[in-house]
Amino acid sequence: MGNPLYDRLFGIHAGKDTPFLQLPDGQTLTHAAFLDMAARIANALTGYGLEPGDRVAVQVEKSPEALAVYAACAQTGLVFLPLNTGYTVGELTYFIENSGASLVLCDPRIEADLAPIAQAQNARLETLSSDGTGSLMRRALGMLPAFEPVRRTEDDLAAFLYTSGTTGRSKGAMLSQANLLSNADTLVQEWRFTRADVLLHALPIFHTHGLFVATNVALASGGSMIFLPKFDLDDVLRLMPQATSMMGVPTFYTRLLADDRFTGDLAQHMRLFISGSAPLLAETHERFEARTGHRILERYGMTETNMNTSNPYDGERRAGTVGFPLPDVELKVTDPDTGDALPQGEIGMIEVRGPNVFQGYWDMPEKTAAELREDGFFITGDLGHVDADGYVHIVGRGKDLIISGGYNIYPKEVELVLDDQPGVLESAVIGVPHPDFGETVLGILVAEPGQTPDIALIQANVQKELARFKHPRKLIVLDELPRNTMGKVQKNILRDRYQDLFTQA
Ligand code: MLC
Ligand code: AMP
């Protein structure tokens, strides 16, 4: 029986002296060295008294050690729960409490802030910094570099990824080993990844894209990664000639195109560029091809489902579409009101079913029931249609969601903070086009009668409560919000009015 996740992603490479991670300073870590590190961490984790199924909440900078914690969780049967490094202590408190984490792993810089929260939760608190130091590695380095993986089945949970919700409360999407493995195997095949691949990895490893798409594909194919702490344009340009492939959000591609150093020569021997997490403008797709000769392969996925569709490796990669449903993934377009399937070509709600679809939201049975049908179809919240050739087009979102540089922001969460501010009667938060982030957050405020909100003070307060990427890039005060006859705020009117705010030269 073994441990399918560990065996498939990590086990097969044991003992191999082939490179796995290449770091920007030129250092290389072999598969074997990485597995030694993971085994030491696994020994440390079990030494803390953690049991299979316990949650390990992790908010640390991207590093080989951070990735080894993921491997160690797979090996020990712990549920890996990575968290955006931008989250404030207030935001982290919710995740720690909601998940009932048994271990919190954080950067040493916020250890003191998190100590009372971990203590209240009866969770252990350990640290890991970006240079690999901290209490976890101090302990792990004294451990043996060998660990017999804990027996697990494909139905066991492997990870929780929190995804924000329309009400402002984040939900923990429970992902099983089978969810991750089925997608990793499919993507390796669909995108033709092999041991010869060197993936330029500049994404964060706390979300689906950087962790379960990029990293799992590299692991499952036995290839290696150029592992950058973040998307740094200079590093990406410098190291691209050593890579064969890259995965990124659209901002990666627009930033590359905005730089004259990014030439066709630099990308010449690359095999594949993949984009996802947010819509890639057809114009970006075309400019990229004109500059490099490469057609970006766009795919579509989400936290709850991993990847659902992909443009073909061979065959036409059609700009402005997200390609075909992946093998084993069923996709239908339904009437958002009745749930009935619509005829081909009509726009409606995209629903998906397959081995990739998650197990439900942790401790939220009503939310699970509202989005995951009994027959296994997940209601994505994305609106789209399937064209006559079978390509899926995403045309909008049924959910009130902003995607900025690949990060999701639910307006409600920001509105709740703005509504609480001195002098503010109410607020509306919308997404408007942005040249770098694709979309960005705009806050509209209505003042309490006779008051003038202090914008600088409000921005400072928002900063304390919410991660930087959620902050409104601008706050505008209006006399009143446009409403329909039912009293509902007409965000479409606001979006139209401010659509050029950040894009006009
Ligand atoms: C950083 N900032 C952002 C931001 N990222 N603000 C809004 N949106 C973002 N995405 C803040 C910084 O804190 C900084 O604040 C300022 O904006 C400018 O920073 P920067 O140096 O330009 O940002 P950078 O660090 O380069 O990050 C931009 C980015 C990064 C696009 C490279 O956000 C990124 O890697 N995004 C990928 C997100 C991702 O992996 N999504 C996948 C989700 S999974 P200040 O204070 O300096 O102004 C998913 C499923 C699927 O969606 O289908 O894949
Ligand atoms: P997340 O909840 O962070 O996993 O984000 C998932 C959402 O990102 C999806 O529901 C879509 O709205 C969006 N998304 C992902 N990939 C694409 C894409 N290629 N084109 C358009 N939207 C996308």
Side-chain angles (χ1 to χ4, degrees), residues 3 5-6 10 69-78 149-150 152 177:
N3 179 325
L5 185 69
Y6 186 80
F10 304 97
V69 173
Y70 167 50
C73 285
Q75 213 165 354
T76 49
L78 294 165
V150 170
R152 296 266 93 188
Q177 290 206 351

Side-chain angles (χ1 to χ4, degrees), residues 23-71:
L23 305 178
D25 63 4
Q27 275 191 65
T28 303
L29 211 67
T30 61
H31 282 281
F34 177 76
L35 290 173
D36 279 2
M37 189 195 283
R40 288 181 201 275
I41 296 173
N43 279 311
L45 294 177
T46 48
Y48 294 145
L50 301 175
E51 300 281 344
D54 285 350
R55 274 78 62 207
V56 177
V58 178
Q59 192 205 36
V60 297
E61 295 297 333
K62 184 176 171 185
S63 67
E65 289 79 6
L67 195 62
V69 173
Y70 167 50

Side-chain angles (χ1 to χ4, degrees), residues 202-204 206-210 213 230-232 249 251-252 255 276-278 299-303 306-307 403-409 436-437 439-440 463 468-471 473:
L203 288 158
F206 45 71
H207 277 315
T208 300
H209 197 162
V213 186
K230 59 176 289 223
F231 182 86
D232 177 282
V249 294
T251 301
F252 285 20
R255 285 189 183 180
S277 307
R299 92 307 179 271
Y300 157 61
M302 52 197 309
T303 302
N306 280 7
M307 298 304 100
I403 305 184
S404 166
Y407 288 142
N408 290 6
I409 302 128
D436 186 30
F437 292 129
E439 246 182 330
T440 197
Q463 200 162 349
R468 173 77 183 110
F469 69 90
K470 299 178 189 170
H471 297 182
R473 292 274 141 170

